[in-house]
Amino acid sequence: MPEHVLITGGAGFIGTRLARRFADDGHSVTVLDALIPQVHGDDPATTSPLLASLDGVAEVIEGSVTEKSHLRQALSDATVVVHLAAETGTGQSMYEIDRYTETNVGGTAKLLDILANEDNSVHRIVVASSRSIYGEGSYRTEDGRIVHPPHREDAAMAAGDFDVHMLGEGPLEVVPTDETAKLHPSSVYGITKQMQESLVLTVAPTLGIEAVALRYQNVYGPGQSLKNPYTGILSIFSTLIRQGKDINIFEDGLESRDFVFIDDVVEATYLAATSAAAAGGIFNVGSGVPTTVHQVVEALFAAFGTTVPTRVSGNYRLGDIRHNVADTTRLKERLGFTPSVTFDRGVAQFVEWVRTEPVEAGGYERSLAEMSSRNLLK
C-alpha cells in the first residue's frame, strides 16, 4: 500500500534523495524543513540545489520542528514519519548548546507530543540517530574482552598521546561497534542524538506506532554541502584542494571513521520505513570499514589528480572520538541489506560531482577560529 511519508529535515543532503526514493516507488511525500542559510544559502529558492531537486517530488513546507503549528501542518495525512531534522556538527554543538538541544531534543519532543495527544494516521516513525552516541565505541583488551573506554583526556592529547586508554588495561584494539554497545556520547551533539533516539523508542510503542532507530556513520556523497564547515572532512578537504590551500591534518592522521555512501544510506532508510522486519529495531548504518584521515587525503588526491601540501599538526578538538566502525550484521540479518559502495568508488563519484560545483569560500577557517577562541580546539 502506498504511504504518505513525512520527512522532517527533508530538504537536506539525505532527505532529498530519500524523498525521490519514496516518490519513485509510488509513495506521496511531504517535506518539512527550516531551510537554514548554513545549508541552503540566504535565498533558498535561488541558492539551494537541494531544494530545487524536490520540485515535482514532494510537497515542501518551510518550517521548524520547534514549532508545533508547522509540525501539525506537515503531519496531516502522514502515515510514516522519517525524522531527520537535527542540528549537526560535533564541534559547533559544544558552544551552541541551547540551539542544538532545542532543535534535536525539543523538536523531537514536540513531534511526539502531537502524536500522543492529537489525531493522526502515523503507524511508523524512523529516527535518524548517530554513531556519536557510542562515544569511543568498542575495543578489545589483550585477553580478548570487549570494553567501552572512557573519553580521551585533554592532558594526554596535549602531550601527543591520541590513543584510547582504559585504567588497568594494556593496549586496546578497536573492533566494530554493534548495537548493544555502551552509549556514552562525548559531545553535546551526541547527547542530543541519544535523547532523540530514546524519546522515539520509548514513546512511540505506547502509542501503537512502530519505531525504528538508525545509527548513521559518516555519510558522504554527491549533493552534500561544500560550504557548511560542519559537514565533514571530505567536503572541507575537497574545497581546500580546489583552492590550492594546505591541508592541516589533526592529531596524527591515524584517527579513523566509517564512511558510508549516500545511496547506501538512502536504501537502508527506505527499508527501515517500509520493511515489516524493521519494526522496533535499532540498526547501525555504515560501511563496516574504517578509513583513516591519511587514507581520506590519499583518496581525494587520487580522485582529483592533484595534490596540495599537507601537515600533521597535532591539533585536536575536544569532544572528538579516536575511532569508530560499525558492525552492520543486524542490518544484513534483519533487513537483508549490506552497504556495498566502497570508499574509493564513492569518493570518485563524489569528486566527479564536486568538479561541477562552484568553489565555495565556506566557513572552515572561521569555524576553527571560533572553536579555538572557546578553548575547544587545541
Side-chain angles (χ1 to χ4, degrees), residues 179-257:
E179 293 87 350
T180 66
K182 178 181 178 180
L183 306 183
H184 59 142
S186 60
S187 66
V188 171
Y189 171 68
I191 292 168
T192 64
K193 297 306 287 186
Q194 182 181 358
M195 289 295 295
Q196 276 190 302
E197 176 183 308
S198 297
L199 284 167
V200 170
L201 294 177
T202 300
V203 174
T206 72
L207 307 176
I209 297 174
E210 297 169 341
V212 186
L214 300 179
R215 295 172 179 170
Y216 293 150
Q217 295 282 324
N218 291 61
V219 186
Y220 75 100
Q224 71 183 86
S225 176
L226 296 174
K227 60 179 178 289
N228 182 351
Y230 304 101
T231 55
I233 61 173
L234 282 166
S235 289
I236 293 167
F237 287 177
S238 292
T239 297
L240 293 174
I241 290 168
R242 297 180 81 197
Q243 293 173 332
K245 294 183 177 180
D246 294 5
I247 291 177
N248 176 6
I249 297 175
F250 286 2
E251 300 188 16
D252 56 6
L254 298 178
E255 63 273 27
S256 66
R257 297 293 183 268

Side-chain angles (χ1 to χ4, degrees), residues 57-312:
V57 173
E59 175 192 3
V60 178
I61 298 172
E62 182 176 358
S64 171
V65 291
T66 63
E67 295 290 338
K68 278 193 169 181
S69 60
H70 299 163
L71 282 166
R72 287 191 186 97
Q73 180 185 0
L75 281 166
S76 177
D77 299 323
T79 58
V80 172
V81 175
V82 180
H83 186 37
L84 300 179
E87 299 291 351
T88 61
T90 297
Q92 189 180 46
S93 78
M94 299 296 283
Y95 56 88
E96 296 200 17
I97 300 160
D98 182 59
R99 181 164 72 95
Y100 273 70
T101 304
E102 179 185 12
T103 300
N104 298 2
V105 181
T108 303
K110 286 179 171 60
L111 171 63
L112 292 169
D113 195 75
I114 291 173
L115 294 177
N117 294 292
E118 301 179 18
D119 290 339
N120 64 84
S121 303
V122 175
H123 67 84
R124 180 172 294 195
I125 178 169
V126 179
V127 59
S129 186
S130 166
R131 57 92 183 158
S132 65
I133 70 176
Y134 292 123
E136 287 293 348
S138 298
Y139 284 75
R140 181 182 291 118
T141 64
E142 289 180 296
D143 60 1
R145 289 172 292 115
I146 300 300
V147 295
H148 303 99
H151 312 315
R152 294 179 294 169
E153 296 182 357
D154 188 2
M157 292 191 288
D161 180 4
F162 302 112
D163 287 330
V164 172
H165 302 284
M166 194 167 187
L167 186 64
E169 302 291 349
L172 300 174
E173 176 191 2
V174 65
V175 296
T177 300
D178 69 20
E179 293 87 350
T180 66
K182 178 181 178 180
L183 306 183
H184 59 142
S186 60
S187 66
V188 171
Y189 171 68
I191 292 168
T192 64
K193 297 306 287 186
Q194 182 181 358
M195 289 295 295
Q196 276 190 302
E197 176 183 308
S198 297
L199 284 167
V200 170
L201 294 177
T202 300
V203 174
T206 72
L207 307 176
I209 297 174
E210 297 169 341
V212 186
L214 300 179
R215 295 172 179 170
Y216 293 150
Q217 295 282 324
N218 291 61
V219 186
Y220 75 100
Q224 71 183 86
S225 176
L226 296 174
K227 60 179 178 289
N228 182 351
Y230 304 101
T231 55
I233 61 173
L234 282 166
S235 289
I236 293 167
F237 287 177
S238 292
T239 297
L240 293 174
I241 290 168
R242 297 180 81 197
Q243 293 173 332
K245 294 183 177 180
D246 294 5
I247 291 177
N248 176 6
I249 297 175
F250 286 2
E251 300 188 16
D252 56 6
L254 298 178
E255 63 273 27
S256 66
R257 297 293 183 268
D258 182 334
F259 292 93
V260 58
F261 194 66
I262 180 63
D263 292 353
D264 284 330
V265 171
V266 166
E267 192 60 26
T269 307
Y270 180 82
L271 290 172
T274 58
S275 171
I282 300 171
F283 302 94
N284 287 332
V285 180
S287 68
V289 179
T291 303
T292 69
V293 175
H294 280 307
Q295 290 171 325
V296 169
V297 172
E298 291 167 2
L300 286 171
F301 284 169
F304 275 109
T306 190
T307 65
V308 296
T310 63
R311 62 188 179 92
V312 179

Side-chain angles (χ1 to χ4, degrees), residues 310-342:
T310 63
R311 62 188 179 92
V312 179
S313 65
N315 291 141
Y316 60 93
R317 298 187 308 179
L318 297 181
D320 271 357
I321 62 169
R322 178 63 168 169
H323 301 294
N324 196 257
V325 59
D327 183 326
T328 60
T329 302
R330 184 181 293 181
L331 186 68
K332 179 179 180 179
E333 291 180 347
R334 287 271 295 271
L335 302 187
F337 179 70
T338 300
S340 61
V341 179
T342 65

